[in-house]
Amino acid sequence: MKKRSKLKHSIYLLLALAMLVYALPRINFSGGWTWASGFGAAWAVFAFLIIGSHLHYLLGVDEEKQRALDRIRKAKLQQWQLKWPEETQQRQENV
């Protein structure tokens, strides 16, 4: 499952890079700041953000953080499961 996810992010990264390489030469900034050049600049910024997010995932910058969150989730789930029989027992006593 992890390999498929990394493959998906790799493909999306390559697509975003290809779109950026195709679009950047076509954005015209020589005529000053027009609506078209402003839109092109905003589009390029969003494309760089997308590329950065995929690189962040592929490089595994936050894998340690994800492991810590998984441990916390498992601990909370165990606490909840231990608490559940107590709650059902209290409900049965109140009825």
Side-chain angles (χ1 to χ4, degrees):
M1 187 67 170
K2 190 78 166 176
K3 288 223 182 225
R4 174 177 271 173
S5 181
K6 289 215 179 210
L7 178 65
K8 178 180 75 169
H9 284 281
S10 300
I11 291 171
Y12 291 155
L13 173 68
L14 290 174
L15 285 173
L17 281 170
M19 287 190 317
L20 195 62
V21 166
Y22 178 78
L24 275 181
R26 288 167 171 61
I27 299 173
N28 187 8
F29 294 108
S30 63
W33 283 98
T34 62
W35 285 105
S37 63
F39 175 79
W43 186 89
V45 167
F46 284 121
F48 281 121
L49 286 173
I50 291 169
I51 291 167
S53 68
H54 287 295
L55 280 175
H56 184 268
Y57 181 82
L58 288 172
L59 295 175
V61 173
D62 60 347
E63 284 184 14
E64 185 62 36
K65 182 178 177 182
Q66 186 63 37
R67 285 189 209 121
L69 288 173
D70 288 340
R71 284 192 298 259
I72 292 170
R73 261 189 228 110
K74 285 179 184 178
K76 284 186 177 185
L77 180 63
Q78 288 175 346
Q79 289 176 350
W80 182 72
Q81 286 175 343
L82 290 174
K83 189 177 179 183
W84 191 352
E86 294 172 4
E87 290 177 357
T88 55
Q89 185 180 15
Q90 288 175 354
R91 284 188 202 139
Q92 289 174 356
E93 291 173 0
N94 290 337
V95 173

